[in-house]
Amino acid sequence: GAGVSQTPSNKVTEKGKYVELRCDPISGHTALYWYRQSLGQGPEFLIYFQGTGAADDSGLPNDRFFAVRPEGSVSTLKIQRTERGDSAVYLCASSLTATPGGGELFFGEGSRLTVL
Amino acid sequence: ELKVEQNPLFLSMQEGKNYTIYCNYSTTSDRLYWYRQDPGKSLESLFVLLSNGAVKQEGRLMASLDTKARLSTLHITAAVHDLSATYFCAVARQEYGNKLVFGAGTILRVKS
């Protein structure tokens, strides 16, 4: 696609529910990143993929969060047993590669998650 | 650990005035980025600065990098209302791959 596409754009769920957020990167980009942006703050790194493998998942806050990228393109961020503190905008970005200097990160519009 | 600090966090200015946003980072870095974010929108890349002394300009915005001081500045010249947005700096370091560490952002409001 022309840009990074994220769905859904908005998700409202109840505490304790399971949520999946999807990211479709720019065609040909092998690196994919997930960030979380809480209100009034800068994006916080969660995880990034180079191809199908998670190269760095050090930003995932706990084991309720998991992300996959099975075919090296689309990625899904999965949140189990959601909590109110998970409410944020989840941003996805992609770049040509994840090597240093591997190109600019292009961000999607984000998925706004609200946990009631 | 790589940390990025911006100041000010909020800036209200009159049209036509000049001002500077500062971005400090805690350890050596390979690349520094400036992004713009409009309310409810995603991040738009403004500048990438790669080396000490780098300066880039686009319209009324100019970004510079001093790697020795671990400081980047985003200078706004003769502000106009359309520049109202939140501005983020973000830093990348080779050992972290291509992932970025962001500052908290500076909310800029330009009053007509």
Side-chain angles (χ1 to χ4, degrees), chain A residues 8-97:
Chain A
S9 54
N10 276 288
K11 176 71 177 178
V12 180
T13 191
E14 292 179 345
K15 181 174 177 292
K17 298 291 188 182
Y18 170 80
V19 166
E20 288 190 352
L21 307 175
R22 174 189 165 108
C23 174
D24 198 344
I26 292 172
S27 178
H29 281 193
T30 63
L32 184 147
Y33 311 78
W34 284 101
Y35 285 81
R36 178 169 71 173
Q37 186 174 22
S38 300
L39 190 64
Q41 297 184 20
E44 293 176 281
F45 170 77
L46 295 177
I47 183 172
Y48 87 86
F49 292 85
Q50 176 60 48
T52 60
D56 182 345
D57 64 357
S58 62
L60 294 177
N62 51 59
D63 61 6
R64 295 186 297 105
F65 289 75
F66 190 70
V68 295
R69 195 186 185 199
E71 297 178 357
S73 179
V74 170
S75 176
T76 305
L77 179 66
K78 307 181 181 194
I79 310 173
Q80 298 178 319
R81 304 183 304 279
T82 52
E83 299 177 358
R84 292 193 181 88
D86 299 335
S87 297
V89 176
Y90 290 81
L91 294 168
C92 177
S94 69
S95 65
L96 277 173
T97 75

Side-chain angles (χ1 to χ4, degrees), chain B residues 30-83:
Chain B
D30 302 300
R31 285 159 285 138
L32 189 138
Y33 297 79
W34 283 97
Y35 285 90
R36 169 180 172 146
Q37 187 176 40
D38 292 292
K41 300 295 185 182
S42 191
L43 297 159
E44 173 192 355
S45 177
L46 296 174
F47 302 107
V48 180
L49 303 170
L50 300 177
S51 59
N52 188 44
V55 177
K56 291 195 175 180
Q57 183 163 4
E58 180 74 33
R60 301 175 188 273
L61 301 177
M62 183 174 71
S64 66
L65 178 62
D66 180 344
T67 58
K68 294 179 182 178
R70 297 177 189 162
L71 171 69
S72 179
T73 61
L74 180 66
H75 187 72
I76 303 151
T77 302
V80 293
H81 181 70
D82 285 352
L83 289 179

Side-chain angles (χ1 to χ4, degrees), chain B:
Chain B
E1 183 185 355
L2 180 54
K3 292 186 178 179
V4 181
E5 290 188 358
Q6 286 182 239
N7 72 83
L9 298 181
F10 182 77
L11 177 56
S12 179
M13 55 192 300
Q14 294 286 341
E15 276 194 328
K17 298 293 187 182
N18 304 334
Y19 210 83
T20 300
I21 299 170
Y22 297 88
C23 174
N24 289 92
Y25 52 96
S26 59
T27 64
T28 56
S29 158
D30 302 300
R31 285 159 285 138
L32 189 138
Y33 297 79
W34 283 97
Y35 285 90
R36 169 180 172 146
Q37 187 176 40
D38 292 292
K41 300 295 185 182
S42 191
L43 297 159
E44 173 192 355
S45 177
L46 296 174
F47 302 107
V48 180
L49 303 170
L50 300 177
S51 59
N52 188 44
V55 177
K56 291 195 175 180
Q57 183 163 4
E58 180 74 33
R60 301 175 188 273
L61 301 177
M62 183 174 71
S64 66
L65 178 62
D66 180 344
T67 58
K68 294 179 182 178
R70 297 177 189 162
L71 171 69
S72 179
T73 61
L74 180 66
H75 187 72
I76 303 151
T77 302
V80 293
H81 181 70
D82 285 352
L83 289 179
S84 297
T86 300
Y87 293 85
F88 293 96
C89 66
V91 174
R93 186 169 165 176
Q94 183 167 349
E95 67 189 76
Y96 299 153
N98 209 21
K99 89 182 186 193
L100 300 178
V101 178
F102 283 82
T106 297
I107 300 172
L108 174 65
R109 293 291 175 260
V110 181
K111 294 182 282 189
S112 303

